[in-house]
């Protein structure tokens, strides 16, 4: 029997390739549905503390990266405005995703280029490192905190589209207010933890990675990590800003680090319940809530 013409064989090959692609996509979708119980991947939300109805919703991956960017900034003594600039920049450059591609050799959250002296690929793909490098350059911009966000970001990034940063400023302002602790109990994530291994050791390591060694988490016992909040951070009779920064960071990292409960300042977030902060329980099987001078983080098995 003669072979089919070449164009027919090519057509069959294309159809077969397309079918394989579709099957792989379906398999990926099924896997996600299996892991998350038929629901989309977890979402996180930040809301305005000004009762103006403003809010921003994003993925757990984006939340993790945003929390790291904010923590690295405050650990370096950078003001909230610097964190806002960094977050708006990362939203524009990568959508707050740690991507391995971009224009030419650009990589990571800020699309930094190894050939332009930002570091090697391994370093740039570390969100804590790339954020620190961004802040290092931003600090060298005279009067950056008084400049329009687009101008300050452009002095660091040298982007071909500097005005694009402006559209992300409102969301970055909300994120910075929550993740620097100025707006208490305004950051939450859906009540699901990820499938990666968790545990107190990973939480402590991540805290030191993002905040530096001045953050000294103690083991509260079993699956609990307690993080002391310096008394010097207290402003008037308000709960310390540093405490809410640490608490919001823990919620943002909950999916990656299998964090089940975060308590601080008489409030509590639970992965097994609502995705909002509620008044902490004071006794019973759940145990007491965190003291005013500590953040308590309870991890999964």
């Amino acid at each position: 029997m003669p072979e089919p013409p070449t164009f027919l064989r090519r057509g069959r090959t294309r159809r077969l390739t397309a079918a394989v692609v579709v099957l792989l996509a379906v398999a990926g979708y099924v896997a996600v549905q299996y892991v998350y119980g038929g629901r989309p991947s977890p979402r996180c939300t930040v809301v305005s503390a000004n009762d103006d109805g403003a809010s921003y919703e994003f993925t757990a991956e984006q939340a993790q990266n945003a929390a790291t960017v904010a923590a690295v900034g405050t650990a370096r003594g950078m003001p909230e405005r610097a964190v806002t600039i960094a977050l708006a920049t990362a939203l524009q450059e990568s959508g707050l995703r740690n991507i391995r591609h971009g224009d030419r050799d650009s990589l990571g959250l800020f699309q930094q280029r190894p050939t332009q002296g930002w570091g090697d690929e391994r370093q740039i793909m570390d969100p804590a490192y790339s954020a620190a490098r961004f802040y290092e350059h931003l600090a060298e911009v005279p009067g950056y905190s008084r400049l329009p966000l687009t101008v300050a970001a452009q002095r660091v990034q040298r982007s071909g589209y500097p005005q694009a940063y402006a559209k992300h400023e409102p969301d970055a302002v909300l994120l910075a207010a929550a993740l620097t602790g100025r707006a208490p109990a305004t950051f939450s994530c859906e009540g699901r933890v990820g499938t990666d291994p968790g545990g107190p050791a990973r939480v402590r390591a991540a805290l030191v990675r993002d905040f530096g060694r001045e953050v000294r988490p103690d083991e509260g016992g079993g699956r609990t990590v307690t993080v002391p909040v310096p008394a010097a951070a207290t402003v008037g009779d308000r709960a310390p800003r540093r405490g809410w920064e640490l608490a919001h960071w823990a919620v943002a990292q909950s999916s990656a680090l299998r964090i089940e409960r975060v308590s601080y300042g008489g409030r509590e977030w639970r992965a097994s319940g609502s995705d909002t902060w509620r008044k902490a329980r004071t006794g019973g099987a759940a145990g007491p809530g965190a003291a005013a001078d500590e953040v308590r983080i309870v991890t999964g098995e």
Side-chain angles (χ1 to χ4, degrees):
M1 182 176 180
E3 292 187 359
T6 301
F7 73 87
L8 288 178
R9 292 199 301 273
R10 289 175 178 169
R12 290 172 182 171
T13 300
R14 292 192 187 99
R15 289 194 296 272
L16 180 59
T17 301
V20 170
V21 170
V22 170
L23 287 173
L24 289 174
V26 170
Y29 173 80
V30 170
V32 170
Q33 299 304 301
Y34 176 79
V35 171
Y36 293 113
R39 294 176 294 174
S41 59
R43 306 287 294 181
C44 297
T45 304
V46 58
V47 298
S48 172
N50 299 325
D51 294 325
D52 55 11
S55 65
Y56 179 61
E57 184 178 281
F58 56 158
T59 67
E61 175 195 0
Q62 292 171 305
Q64 293 155 24
N65 290 326
T68 291
V69 169
V72 170
T74 59
R76 296 175 68 90
M78 304 296 280
E80 184 179 331
R81 179 62 176 172
V83 175
T84 299
I85 295 167
L87 290 169
T89 301
L91 280 166
Q92 170 59 28
E93 297 292 352
S94 67
L96 274 172
R97 295 179 176 88
N98 200 25
I99 54 179
R100 291 187 176 275
H101 56 82
D103 179 45
R104 288 169 283 189
D105 59 334
S106 300
L107 296 166
L109 293 178
F110 295 93
Q111 289 292 276
Q112 295 159 338
R113 299 179 59 193
T115 57
Q116 298 299 309
W118 288 94
D120 60 34
E121 179 178 351
R122 180 188 60 79
Q123 291 173 320
I124 293 173
M125 290 304 296
D126 176 353
Y129 172 90
S130 62
R133 291 287 281 155
F134 178 88
Y135 289 119
E136 178 183 328
H137 282 72
L138 181 64
E140 295 174 354
V141 177
Y144 72 84
S145 62
R146 299 185 299 274
L147 294 174
L149 186 145
T150 53
V151 175
Q154 176 65 359
R155 296 279 175 85
V156 176
Q157 297 294 109
R158 308 296 183 187
S159 169
Y161 306 94
Q163 295 305 315
Y165 300 118
K167 65 187 176 187
H168 300 290
E169 185 166 5
D171 296 330
V173 167
L174 285 178
L175 281 170
L179 293 174
T180 62
R182 179 171 62 83
T186 56
F187 187 99
S188 60
C189 291
E190 287 181 342
R192 297 200 297 283
V193 296
T195 57
D196 292 338
R202 286 197 67 207
V203 171
R204 286 194 290 271
L207 280 162
V208 172
R209 175 199 67 200
D210 288 358
F211 289 97
R213 295 191 179 278
E214 68 273 12
V215 171
R216 300 180 180 277
D218 298 324
E219 186 171 353
R223 297 181 290 122
T224 301
V225 174
T226 57
V227 188
V229 178
T234 304
V235 179
D237 59 353
R238 291 180 54 199
R241 178 167 174 162
R242 182 66 154 178
W244 279 109
E245 179 184 11
L246 291 162
H248 285 160
W249 176 91
V251 173
Q253 304 291 338
S254 61
S255 179
L257 298 177
R258 293 187 62 80
I259 293 171
E260 294 186 346
R261 186 164 75 249
V262 181
S263 304
Y264 180 66
R267 305 288 291 277
E268 184 177 73
W269 171 89
R270 285 174 169 261
S272 59
S274 171
D275 61 348
T276 59
W277 287 85
R278 296 186 175 184
K279 185 176 180 180
R281 299 179 182 179
T282 56
D293 59 350
E294 69 180 21
V295 175
R296 180 171 296 177
I297 302 168
V298 180
T299 66
E301 297 290 352

